[in-house]
Amino acid sequence: MTDYTAAIFDLDGVIADTARLHFAAWIQLASEEGFQLPPNADNRLKGVDRMASLAIVLEGAARRYTTDEQARLADRKNRLYQTLIHQLTPADLLPGAETLLNTLAAWGIPLALASASKNAKAVVEGLGIAGRFHTIADAALVRHPKPDPEIFLMAARGLGVTPARCIGVEDAAAGVTALKRAGMYALGVGDPIVLREADRVVPSLAALDPADYFTAPANRSN
Ligand code: B16
Ligand code: MG
């Protein structure tokens, strides 16, 4: 077993079942504009920031949108998404998330959130887990989106832990690449083929034993 110091979590698709809400908002926007999303959009949109997501969505459009129009479309999608996340409750936590966060908190492991979403704070508040995180890397301050390591390095700095002592948990290929570039252990949640760069892939957080990576207080020597 390798003993790590801290854990950094992606949000959408790891802790919360919000990918379907992002997707529903994009579908509604496209339908209001009279076009359909391109094939495989659901997978391609995971972990990608808002404007990069819009570029994928607009592959399905019949015409080009100006930069101003694109900014307005992104705002409209965000308002649709914000309406949907108002309905989030702890029931929208993904399997194993609550137990894992509770165990790590009880063991005194510092936890951070590193999400591409500018709505991350509102989402964790809706889920009732905002107090679990010692720091939330602010997506609004990140200049280089995943697969750049910037957001994970920002989260590690917020925790005061060196990257090599951090485990990062991700559901998107871009996020796993970002973790490896940050010099962290990359734990993938989801499809091992999509997440082949990860150090290990589990089907959900419910399959994870925290003792594989962290020492429980009762087993610590000091
Ligand atoms: P927003 P993550 C990502 O979050 C989502 O996976 C992605 O679908 C979304 O477009 C992105 O956040 C930006 O979200 O529009 O709310 O700022 O997976 O990094 O937690
Ligand atoms: Mg994600």
Side-chain angles (χ1 to χ4, degrees):
M1 187 197 80
T2 310
D3 213 4
Y4 287 90
T5 304
I8 303 178
F9 290 87
D10 173 51
L11 178 60
D12 295 311
V14 169
I15 289 177
D17 189 11
T18 41
R20 67 191 169 84
L21 304 182
H22 279 293
F23 193 51
W26 286 121
I27 287 180
Q28 168 143 8
L29 182 80
S31 134
E32 287 171 9
E33 288 296 305
F35 66 86
Q36 292 188 337
L37 301 193
N40 203 22
D42 52 346
N43 264 327
R44 291 177 62 204
L45 292 169
K46 283 183 191 166
V48 178
D49 73 12
R50 196 178 306 162
M51 293 313 287
S53 296
L54 178 65
I56 293 169
V57 166
L58 289 180
E59 288 173 19
R63 70 170 180 92
R64 284 188 181 277
Y65 287 79
T66 66
T67 309
D68 281 355
E69 285 176 321
Q70 289 184 30
R72 282 197 291 277
L73 286 177
D75 278 350
R76 266 169 61 199
K77 180 270 174 178
N78 193 45
R79 283 196 295 277
L80 291 167
Y81 179 66
Q82 286 176 334
T83 310
L84 296 173
I85 59 174
H86 275 133
Q87 303 156 18
L88 284 174
T89 71
D92 296 293
L93 285 163
L94 283 167
E98 189 169 22
T99 305
L100 179 64
L101 292 174
N102 287 344
T103 303
L104 293 176
W107 289 9
I109 307 297
L111 306 179
L113 196 68
S115 168
S117 175
K118 293 176 179 153
N119 295 293
K121 284 187 183 130
V123 170
V124 290
E125 275 160 20
L127 295 168
I129 54 166
R132 285 281 177 246
F133 298 100
H134 297 75
T135 186
I136 297 179
D138 188 345
L141 297 180
V142 172
R143 290 171 54 204
H144 307 289
K146 301 170 189 177
D148 191 280
E150 184 179 359
I151 194 161
F152 287 109
L153 295 173
M154 187 186 283
R157 266 198 311 278
L159 293 174
V161 177
T162 57
R165 308 291 304 150
C166 296
I167 287 193
V169 193
E170 256 293 347
D171 72 313
V176 167
T177 304
L179 282 167
K180 293 318 299 172
R181 290 189 190 163
M184 297 180 184
Y185 182 94
L187 184 67
V189 178
D191 182 344
I193 294 171
V194 175
L195 305 175
R196 57 187 162 273
E197 271 190 73
D199 293 295
R200 180 185 168 195
V201 180
V202 289
S204 85
L205 293 181
L208 200 63
D209 181 353
D212 287 348
Y213 301 102
F214 301 101
T215 306
N219 299 330
R220 286 179 200 155
S221 47
N222 49 4

